[in-house]
Amino acid sequence: MMDERWIRSLHVESMRHADLHAEREAHVLFQASTIGALLDGSFDGDLTFAELGERGDLGLGTLNGLDGEMIAIDGEFLRADVNGEVTEVGPGERTPFAVVTEFEPTVEGEITAGLDHESILAALDSMARPGTSSFAVRLDGRFASVRARSVPRQEPPYRPLAEVVADQHIFEFTDVEGSMVGFRFPAYVEGIEVAGYHLHFVDAERRRGGHVLGSRSGGPLRVRIDPSDDLHIELPPTVDLADPDLAAATHAAIDAVERAN
Ligand SMILES: [Zn+2]
């Protein structure tokens, strides 16, 4: 069964695993499950990384059992474990939450050295064309610092994400060459997605990485943006699409989990 709806200016299509159709469309964002389900402790999904790889080559997420932070870049799927150490993800592994896109940027720009994280995000906002609801973004270059975190693998019965995040490990990478990949979503899809920016980092050697909590540019950063108004969602059997009216209620919880530092 497929559900199709407009949430303001974002076209949202959701489907079950059995209804997945082959697609690798430009400017379409594809995600497994919802951030709301992850908050509730739904840490096992039914989508494999092989299937995820058929739907995009850039993105982020996590693995079943909440086994670290996932970074998708240049078609490679990587896991930053609880210590921030990066390894490749096998095609048969599964994800309870991930967002990917076939990255075809239409906006390019540069961010100057010496900007703090808030200023970097403000610069991205100003580069995106007005009226852009959502976009995928990639930043490459030298960072003076990246504050990142990862989470330890969980065993069932799972606790809510807010409790697990209390066990997160935070790392500070300094003077590091690397890439940030991720997305900006509008406030009105909070609960389905993380509103605002969600970025994951991996260094140029693909050895260290994690979920970004803060950063500072160390040199000019190359910026590429791929705007989108289409979000396709694969929902595991136990997950339904969150009512966007509940978005406000989940805002505080998501803020605590995704930006806690
Ligand atoms: Zn993350």
Side-chain angles (χ1 to χ4, degrees):
M1 200 183 74
M2 215 178 75
D3 174 82
E4 208 181 343
R5 62 179 88 176
W6 283 89
I7 302 177
R8 298 205 204 167
S9 54
L10 191 65
H11 179 229
V12 178
E13 200 179 291
S14 64
M15 66 211 82
R16 298 294 173 182
H17 192 252
D19 303 312
L20 280 178
H21 44 277
E23 60 174 1
R24 202 167 176 144
E25 294 171 64
H27 317 304
V28 170
L29 306 171
F30 178 86
Q31 82 175 53
S33 195
T34 70
I35 192 70
L38 198 70
L39 280 173
D40 286 343
S42 295
F43 297 159
D44 288 326
D46 54 0
L47 195 81
T48 66
F49 278 88
E51 290 168 321
L52 197 61
E54 286 167 12
R55 285 158 182 88
D57 58 4
L58 175 137
L60 50 72
T62 185
L63 293 94
N64 274 11
L66 204 72
D67 191 13
E69 307 283 350
M70 188 277 286
I71 305 114
I73 185 164
D74 297 323
E76 245 188 310
F77 289 85
L78 307 167
R79 166 209 286 116
D81 70 13
V82 67
N83 297 314
E85 283 166 22
V86 168
T87 50
E88 223 172 293
V89 177
E93 295 191 61
R94 293 175 194 269
T95 177
F97 179 74
V99 196
V100 294
T101 191
E102 185 72 12
F103 193 57
E104 291 188 15
T106 56
V107 179
E108 297 226 14
E110 198 178 89
I111 280 175
T112 54
L115 294 190
D116 65 18
H117 196 61
E118 288 310 308
S119 306
I120 291 172
L121 301 186
L124 297 180
D125 280 337
S126 65
M127 280 178 211
R129 292 191 190 93
T132 301
S133 75
S134 310
F135 59 76
V137 61
R138 173 171 177 169
L139 298 98
D140 299 277
R142 180 156 290 275
F143 293 82
S145 66
V146 177
R147 192 173 158 79
R149 72 105 194 272
S150 190
V151 284
R153 183 189 173 84
Q154 301 297 299
E155 297 293 338
Y158 295 132
R159 300 172 291 161
L161 187 56
E163 285 179 37
V164 174
V165 163
D167 302 333
Q168 71 183 0
H169 289 198
I170 296 176
F171 341 102
E172 185 99 23
F173 307 129
T174 53
D175 194 26
V176 62
E177 190 88 23
S179 305
M180 267 182 208
V181 297
F183 302 91
R184 190 196 75 181
F185 280 97
Y188 52 79
V189 289
E190 186 122 66
I192 297 173
E193 251 300 336
V194 176
Y197 286 94
H198 186 185
L199 298 166
H200 285 190
F201 175 80
V202 66
D203 70 4
E205 290 78 36
R206 309 291 189 250
R207 284 179 47 234
R208 297 176 300 166
H211 167 104
V212 174
L213 298 172
S215 73
R216 175 175 286 275
S217 56
L221 300 175
R222 181 186 185 195
V223 177
R224 282 172 282 176
I225 290 174
D226 184 356
S228 176
D229 294 317
D230 277 290
L231 176 64
H232 294 181
I233 308 175
E234 188 270 342
L235 294 170
T238 56
V239 175
D240 289 312
L241 203 57
D243 184 342
D245 292 340
L246 298 176
T250 54
H251 175 79
I254 291 173
D255 209 44
V257 165
E258 299 301 327
R259 286 175 275 273
N261 53 7

